[in-house]
């Protein structure tokens, strides 16, 4: 019985971590798709710099949501 509770709480902790990573990844994607181009236009940044910022944020989003190895 105690072992079942331990496994159950462990699964809940993993689910909470995955949800946090998913929220972080979604926030980074939203930033790269909407906020970066809007701010770049407002500040007058070049298209290549805007694209580089978007790529960097998308890579960060991918790393945040990737399953952990361990």
């Amino acid at each position: 019985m105690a072992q079942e509770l331990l496994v159950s709480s462990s699964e809940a902790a993993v689910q909470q971590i995955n949800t946090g990573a998913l929220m972080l990844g979604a926030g980074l994607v939203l930033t790269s798709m909407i906020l970066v181009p809007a701010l770049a236009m407002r500040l007058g940044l070049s298209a290549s710099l805007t694209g580089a910022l978007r790529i960097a944020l998308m890579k960060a989003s991918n790393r945040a949501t990737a399953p952990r190895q361990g």
Side-chain angles (χ1 to χ4, degrees), residues 4-70:
E4 289 174 5
L5 290 174
L6 181 61
V7 170
S8 175
S9 65
S10 175
E11 288 174 359
V14 168
Q15 180 64 29
Q16 182 68 23
I17 292 169
N18 290 342
T19 303
L22 184 61
M23 293 298 290
L24 176 62
L28 289 170
V29 167
L30 178 68
T31 300
S32 71
M33 297 298 284
I34 297 174
L35 296 178
V36 168
L39 289 173
M41 185 187 312
R42 178 94 175 169
L43 297 174
L45 298 178
S46 68
S48 60
L49 182 57
T50 303
L53 288 171
R54 289 179 71 189
I55 289 169
L57 285 171
M58 292 300 271
K59 285 184 177 182
S61 172
N62 190 29
R63 285 189 204 124
T65 58
R68 303 282 182 224
Q69 302 292 324

